[in-house]
């Protein structure tokens, strides 16, 4: 028995060393394959981003999917997929994609904000507001005005204009040139009869979005309400110039006919 055991030891030792080398080789080869996959995934991501810039949504989606298959833990690829799903109106898939992003990088404020937009589209306004607040709680968030604007839009849907105005005002404190936050704030001020504040807000919109006919239209109405017919006329004429066949232009012409000369 002892001789038999001694005879087996060298073979066992050789077998174990061979197994270790096999495992090590497999790990090394696997690492190389992963690096190759990451490079391929990066190429697909860049191609998808190029398609997205050109508004070619389906080709972008295909490239992002290929990138995700090769490198499923890439945060930016998952974010891009969520963005495409959102554009397509596929909110359940967008929700899952942004949740994957957050799991990969909980400090990625943009993903929290976008998840909030998805929940808003799904009618989950409480959840939406929670995501926007989470984004705003992260000090590295570069564009908190976007989350504040999105909060304001949710509050408008919930018919809570005071809360909406606070959110839009917060967005403007961070970014005084946020044209759409100014526009929404202006509309709330106008509804409240605060003409001076409405004019100031709509002037921001008109400066930042000079081709936005609705912005000029609302500014014209605010000027008219404030007893500033010359300025109102100028803005109504701008509406007619920008959108001559629209209902806004028709209303603008009606108001122009009633302005004092």
């Amino acid at each position: 028995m002892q001789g038999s055991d001694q005879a087996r030891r060298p073979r066992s030792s050789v077998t174990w060393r061979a197994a270790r080398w096999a495992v090590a080789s497999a790990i090394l080869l696997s690492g190389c394959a992963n690096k190759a996959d990451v490079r391929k995934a990066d190429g697909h991501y860049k191609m998808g981003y190029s398609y997205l810039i050109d508004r070619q949504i389906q080709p972008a989606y295909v490239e992002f999917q290929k990138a995700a298959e090769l490198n499923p833990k890439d945060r930016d690829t998952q974010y891009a997929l969520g963005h495409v799903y959102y554009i397509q109106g596929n909110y359940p898939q967008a929700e899952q994609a942004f949740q994957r992003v957050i799991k990969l990088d909980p400090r990625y404020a943009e993903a929290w904000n976008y998840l909030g937009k998805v929940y808003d589209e799904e009618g989950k306004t409480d959840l939406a507001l929670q995501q926007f607040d989470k984004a705003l709680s992260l000090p590295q968030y570069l564009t908190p005005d976007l989350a504040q604007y999105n909060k304001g839009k949710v509050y408008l849907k919930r018919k809570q204009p005071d809360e909406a105005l606070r959110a839009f005002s917060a967005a403007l404190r961070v970014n005084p040139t946020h044209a759409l936050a100014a526009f929404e704030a202006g509309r709330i001020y106008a509804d409240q009869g605060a003409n001076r504040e409405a004019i100031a807000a709509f002037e921001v919109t008109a400066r930042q979005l000079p081709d936005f006919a609705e912005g000029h239209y609302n500014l014209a109405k605010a000027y008219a309400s404030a007893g500033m017919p010359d300025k109102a006329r100028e803005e109504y004429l701008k509406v007619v110039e920008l959108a001559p066949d629209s209902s806004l232009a028709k209303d603008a012409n009606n108001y122009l006919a009633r302005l004092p000369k």
Side-chain angles (χ1 to χ4, degrees), residues 9 26 35 51 70 74 92 100 102 121 130 133 137 156 158 166 177 212-213 221 229 242 245 256:
R9 283 189 192 118
K35 289 180 181 178
Y51 280 130
L70 290 164
D74 182 68
R100 287 194 293 270
I102 290 166
E121 292 292 345
Q130 290 173 20
D133 284 338
S137 74
L156 284 180
R158 291 165 58 138
R166 277 193 284 271
T177 64
F212 182 39
K221 290 183 68 177
L242 289 170
D245 300 321
L256 280 166

Side-chain angles (χ1 to χ4, degrees), residues 41-109:
D42 188 54
H44 286 299
Y45 173 81
K46 289 176 179 176
M47 182 63 70
Y49 190 79
S50 177
Y51 280 130
L52 196 59
I53 293 296
D54 291 336
R55 298 185 180 180
Q56 299 184 56
I57 304 304
Q58 186 59 26
Y61 169 73
V62 170
E63 293 298 327
F64 291 141
Q65 278 286 12
K66 291 178 180 178
E69 289 171 5
L70 290 164
N71 188 12
K73 292 188 177 181
D74 182 68
R75 183 197 75 174
D76 294 338
T77 298
Q78 294 297 334
Y79 186 90
L81 275 172
H83 177 65
V84 170
Y85 284 130
Y86 183 88
I87 292 172
Q88 293 173 333
N90 189 344
Y91 302 123
Q93 288 294 330
E95 179 182 336
Q96 291 179 23
F98 290 122
Q99 286 174 342
R100 287 194 293 270
V101 174
I102 290 166
K103 187 175 181 180
L104 290 167
D105 185 359
R107 296 179 299 174
Y108 193 21

